Each structure stands twice: as structure tokens, then as C-alpha cells.
Amino acid sequence: MNKIHLSVIRIINEYRNNRITVKFTPKDGSTNAKMADVCDGLYRADEQDSTADEAYDNAFEEAVGGGFGAWRLRTCYEDEEDDDNDKQRIVIEPIFDADSSVFFDLDAKRQDKADAKRCYVLTSMSPAAYKDTYGDDPSTWPKAIHQLEFDWATADVVYVCELYKVEETTELIHVFRGLDDEDMTVPDKELQDDPEKLDTLLATGFREVRQKRMKRRRVHKYLLSGAKVLEDEGYISGRCIPIIPNYGKRWFVDNVERCMGHVRLAKDAQRLKNMQVSNLGLLAAQSPREKPIFTPEQMAGHAMTWAEDNIKDNPYLLVNALRDADGNQQAAGPIGYTKPPSVSPAMGALLQITEQDMQDMLGNQQAGEQLQPNMSGVAVELVQNRLDMQVFIYMSNLKKAMKRSGEVWLSMMKDIAVEEGRRMKSVDSQGEVSSVDLNVPAYNKETGEQFIENDLSEATFDVNAQVGPSSTSRRAATVRALTGMMQISQDPETLSVLGAMAMMNMEGEGIGDVRDFFRQKLIRAGAVKPTEEEAQQLQAEAQNAKPDPNSQYLMSAAQEAEAGAAEKRAQTVETIASAELKRAQTVKTLAEAGATRNEQEIASVQALQQVLAGQRSGGMAPPDPSAMF
């Protein structure tokens, strides 16, 4: 009678309804959200294309049940059947029975095993499959390999081990600065291999400004059997061991790592409960009812009738009468009855104690599963929060594992996403699929500099994991919030936006096209920021759209009014110019009249001077000047 299963299932269902997502944020705290969104979309696309859900669910269930689970990240080709396609992506795969197949070195103390130097992953195979795959027969191995602390090969199973070994080296880097104040890094090994390179740099104006020692970290992978190294698979992508551990509860005691799940503490109470119920069942099976006791003389000749009574359901049963020593007949009833065993008071008390102990260790589920009539929503929420706090440690530990998974993924993507102009699948937070181009040359209009857009090799991000409700739960909560806001808003435009957002977040069969319609409506209203593809689509629609007749009429009326205003302005200018012309002509006439008068006066004066001159020469008296006019 498994009393633990329901508690474990509730924790698992709580996680599946509150999925944990990985979020990339710039390490320097800048607002470069575009590159972070690119990483988010690529990670979600790899999760969608691989068995990520199965890997997460399996690791979480094993951590809750047994205390430890794990999954792996692995690179694979996008198209295994295309010989010309060398592009790779990352898949997330489950590791089953991780508590007995995944082992890190004992010096690794961190929970996410970021400080581990070695990791071993065991995989079981049948002897025939092992022989066909690696061409090796386990029966030829030395006997010393068998029947020790771990048996690598049995009659049914052969184990193969993946070994991930971290190799760290220190490299000296020289930093040179050119005439344009741009820095260039040169490894010391290049200068040692090419002695003339230093002279070339100095001759071209470079000078050494500093030196720096860099740590290089790479992961070497081997494939081992119980007898030898099967394959040396070389260095893998990334700088991290791609095995992600997930713990239920974890401690270090006496320098030994110990972990357990939700079942461990309740095992003894469960065993005691099973023993008690089994004992009760045994008692009930041994003596289900009272049985009459007769003497052999009473049952003589009637034994079969009594034996078959439960089958034939006889209307009555007979027994022989008993007689005393004098031959007198006595009562014919049974001389006694068997008594069924009773449950001892100790067992009854123990049953109650065991039940209460299991509820104390696993959490009282009855309050969360039984909703009483007239119970307020606030009270229900408080009860659920109390139950959630009892299992939050498992969600928190999975959050640490998801954070580590994002770090390992980013480290691997820096090594494999190096093709120029590579187009990759991306998935946004709403589950919509799009594409993104990596390593694309771009131009900064503000600074005039050229750069490489979406270059993952230069991505330096912190990885965060967020515990929250699933996408479906978030959408349902969003719809409830939006409909609640619509009750208090009076603005028609606001109501229209809220209604469109509610429809965009609705869930249901065949409602995807409706959500897309309302998203486009919100984009055209300016309430939602469009993606690059949507912005290009809107621009193309604006260029190719036919004008609306009403808009055309209003535009023509506006143009006509503008033309009339321009004509009136021209007439006004012409009137002003005509007036100015007449004013100028008047001034000219006045000026000409003045000039004629001046000429006449000058001529009169000259004539007078001539007359005066003639009179002086002839002795005549000068005439009166006023008579000249």
C-alpha cells in the first residue's frame, strides 16, 4: 500500500506545471538585449528539436525519488545524411539511472559540478551488441577484471564508460598596439615558432604594451571498457563537462557527498505500514468468521452437508443428538464456537502513529486536495502555497541544474556556430518559430563602424534560471488579469487593446490563427513591438497598399484647397507687385518732372548770365532778374 507515491507525483506534477526556463543576460549589465534574445531563442529551439523535456523530466523524477538525476548535452550534425552539411547543433539527452551510472571526481564540491576535473558515465549494453559495435569479446578479458568491486562484464550486461577529462594549460599572450591605437594579441607560441614575426611587428609600427597569462580549458573525451580504451574521441566542443547533475537534497558530511530524495525518510514508516497491513490481512484470512464446534458423534453422516453449505446454501443443517450415560437425549447444539483473533491494542495504536508519521514527513496532502464548500480563493491559495513550500527545495535545485545547462550550452555554441551568415531556427517565449542569421556583416549608422552581427563567439552572458508557471498557466493568468482590467476601464481604445491582448493569449484547439490576427492588430495599433520580419512585412504592405477611396477623396480635397490657397497667394503677390510698380512709376514721373524743372532753371540762369555779360560789354544797365521769370 504505497502511501508515498501520491506525494512524489504531486511534486512531479508541480514541476511540470511550472517549467523552469533559461534566461541569458549581458555580463556587463548593458542593454544589449538583442543578442541575449538570440541566445534565448536558439536555446529554446535546441530544447524543442531534441529530447529536452524527457531529459528534464527523467532527471527531476530520479532526483525526487532517489536523490540524484542527470542529463547530457551533445553536439550532432543538423543533417546526418548530407555529406556536405557540416553544421552542428546541440541536443539535450536523458541519462537513465544516473545515481548508479554518473560519477564525478571526489574533489568536486560544487552542486553543479562546475569545478569537476573528471566525469564518468556508464552505459550498459548486451554482450552481442558490444561485440558487434567494438569488435571486442568480453570473454577474453583477464579474470582480474571480473568479480571485484564492479563487474564490467557479466553473462547479460557489458558496461561501456564515457570519460570526460578537463585539461587546463596556461598560455602567455603578448599585446601589441599599432599606430592607429588598435591592440592586437599574439600568443607567445607564435613568436617562438616564427622569430621574424616580432621584428616584422616592430618594423610596421607596433609596440608591445603588456603581457597576460591566459588559462585555456578544454575537455578531452575517451570511451573505455573494462579492459582498454576503446576510442579517443579527442576534444569536444566547449570548455565544460557536458553532464548536468540534478540533486534532490544534498549535503557534505565527513567530506562525503550525500544526497536523498523525497522517499528516503518515509521508507521506514512505509515498511512498518506494509507490515501492519499484511498482518491484518493474515489475521483476516486465517479466521474470517466464527465456526461451530461439534463432537464426531454429532457430525456423523452430516459432514458433507456442512462442508458444502457455502456452495449449495441448504435451507437447514442437521446434527446428531447427544446422549448421556443413561441413554437420554441431550441438546443438539454445538458445544462451542471458534473465536477469530482480535487486533491487539498495540497494533491499533501503531497503525495510527504510522499514518501520522508519514503525513508529517511527506506533508499533509488532504488539505490541498479537498476543497471545502464556501472556501475563499485566498484560503485555497494559502493552502497551496504552504504545500509548495514543502517541496520548493527540489525546484530550487533543478533551477541550479538548468543554470548550469545554459552555461554549458553557451560554451559549446561558441565553438560550433562559427559559419558566416548561418541561418538557424529560433523559438520565442510564446512558442512561435522564426529564424536568425549569425555572423552577418553589419554597419553602424551612428558611428560609421563595421561589425559582425550575432557573433556568438563574442557573447559574454550570465545565465539565469527562472522558476515560474508553465506557458499555459501564464496565459490563463494573463487572460484573467486582462478581463479584470477591462471591468474598470472606460476608454474605448484601451478596451480594444485589452480585448485584443486577451484574445492573443487564449488557449484552445484551432485558435492559433485567431491569436495571429489579434497580434497583427496590436502591432498596427502600436501596442506590440513587431519583430524584424513583421516590420519588413508592414513596410512592404504600406508600399503596395491601394489608397482608400475616402482617403483619396480627402487627399484630393486637401490638394485642391492647397492649390486654391496658392492661387490666392499668387494673386495677392501680383496685386502687391502691381501696386509697387505704380508706386515706382509715380516716383519716376516725379523724379523726371523735378529733373525737367531743374534743367529749365539751369538754362534760365545760364541765359541770364549771358545777358549780363553782354550788357557789361555794351554799357547797358542790368535787367531785373524777376522779369526773367
Side-chain angles (χ1 to χ4, degrees), residues 531-553:
T531 61
E532 294 184 1
E533 296 181 358
E534 291 172 340
Q536 295 176 359
Q537 182 180 359
L538 291 176
Q539 186 177 2
E541 290 178 358
Q543 293 176 354
N544 300 327
K546 295 182 179 180
D548 183 54
N550 293 330
S551 302
Q552 226 173 4
Y553 170 76

Side-chain angles (χ1 to χ4, degrees), residues 334-398:
I335 62 175
Y337 290 90
T338 61
K339 184 179 180 181
S342 60
V343 178
S344 66
M347 179 174 287
L350 195 59
L351 283 169
Q352 294 180 357
I353 294 174
T354 304
E355 189 72 23
Q356 184 62 38
D357 287 344
M358 296 187 70
Q359 290 184 3
D360 292 341
M361 285 182 288
L362 300 176
N364 188 356
Q365 308 296 315
Q366 297 178 358
E369 296 170 357
Q370 297 178 2
L371 298 181
Q372 302 298 329
N374 301 324
M375 180 180 290
S376 67
V378 177
V380 173
E381 185 176 357
L382 291 175
V383 171
Q384 292 297 330
N385 289 338
R386 179 184 296 181
L387 295 178
D388 292 343
M389 292 305 297
Q390 296 174 358
V391 301
F392 189 76
I393 183 173
Y394 303 106
M395 303 293 289
S396 178
N397 287 339
L398 181 61

Side-chain angles (χ1 to χ4, degrees), residues 345-601:
M347 179 174 287
L350 195 59
L351 283 169
Q352 294 180 357
I353 294 174
T354 304
E355 189 72 23
Q356 184 62 38
D357 287 344
M358 296 187 70
Q359 290 184 3
D360 292 341
M361 285 182 288
L362 300 176
N364 188 356
Q365 308 296 315
Q366 297 178 358
E369 296 170 357
Q370 297 178 2
L371 298 181
Q372 302 298 329
N374 301 324
M375 180 180 290
S376 67
V378 177
V380 173
E381 185 176 357
L382 291 175
V383 171
Q384 292 297 330
N385 289 338
R386 179 184 296 181
L387 295 178
D388 292 343
M389 292 305 297
Q390 296 174 358
V391 301
F392 189 76
I393 183 173
Y394 303 106
M395 303 293 289
S396 178
N397 287 339
L398 181 61
K399 175 182 176 181
K400 297 176 183 177
M402 293 293 294
K403 179 178 182 295
R404 182 59 181 170
S405 181
E407 294 171 350
V408 174
W409 177 89
L410 183 60
S411 175
M412 299 173 70
M413 282 295 292
K414 289 183 177 181
D415 288 347
I416 66 173
V418 295
E419 297 87 357
E420 182 177 351
R422 178 180 177 181
R423 176 162 292 185
M424 300 184 70
K425 176 183 175 182
S426 178
V427 179
D428 63 13
S429 59
Q430 299 295 328
E432 300 294 335
V433 178
S434 59
S435 61
V436 60
D437 295 329
L438 303 182
N439 305 319
V440 179
Y443 175 78
N444 192 332
K445 296 181 180 179
E446 297 180 357
T447 62
E449 298 179 355
Q450 293 183 353
F451 64 97
I452 302 299
E453 189 177 25
N454 296 334
D455 184 5
L456 291 182
S457 63
E458 301 296 331
T460 55
F461 293 111
D462 289 326
V463 182
N464 298 316
Q466 299 175 347
V467 181
S470 63
S471 177
T472 302
S473 300
R474 288 199 304 268
R475 285 183 173 179
T478 301
V479 171
R480 289 194 299 269
L482 291 172
T483 53
M485 293 176 63
M486 292 176 65
Q487 303 297 325
I488 61 175
S489 178
Q490 302 296 331
D491 184 19
E493 184 178 0
T494 303
L495 290 174
S496 176
V497 172
L498 293 176
M501 291 182 64
M503 292 299 300
M504 192 177 68
N505 286 278
M506 289 289 290
E507 287 285 348
E509 186 70 23
I511 203 172
D513 295 337
V514 178
R515 288 204 306 264
D516 294 339
F517 169 78
F518 281 99
R519 173 175 173 81
Q520 295 298 324
K521 183 178 180 180
L522 289 172
I523 290 175
R524 287 174 170 80
V528 174
K529 184 179 179 181
T531 61
E532 294 184 1
E533 296 181 358
E534 291 172 340
Q536 295 176 359
Q537 182 180 359
L538 291 176
Q539 186 177 2
E541 290 178 358
Q543 293 176 354
N544 300 327
K546 295 182 179 180
D548 183 54
N550 293 330
S551 302
Q552 226 173 4
Y553 170 76
L554 294 174
M555 187 180 298
S556 301
Q559 292 176 352
E560 183 178 356
E562 185 177 357
E567 183 179 359
K568 291 182 180 179
R569 284 196 300 270
Q571 291 177 354
T572 302
V573 171
E574 183 180 0
T575 303
I576 294 173
S578 177
E580 291 293 335
L581 178 60
K582 292 180 180 179
R583 187 179 297 109
Q585 291 175 347
T586 303
V587 172
K588 180 180 179 182
T589 302
L590 294 175
E592 291 177 352
T596 302
R597 182 177 179 182
N598 290 337
E599 291 178 356
Q600 291 177 354
E601 291 178 352

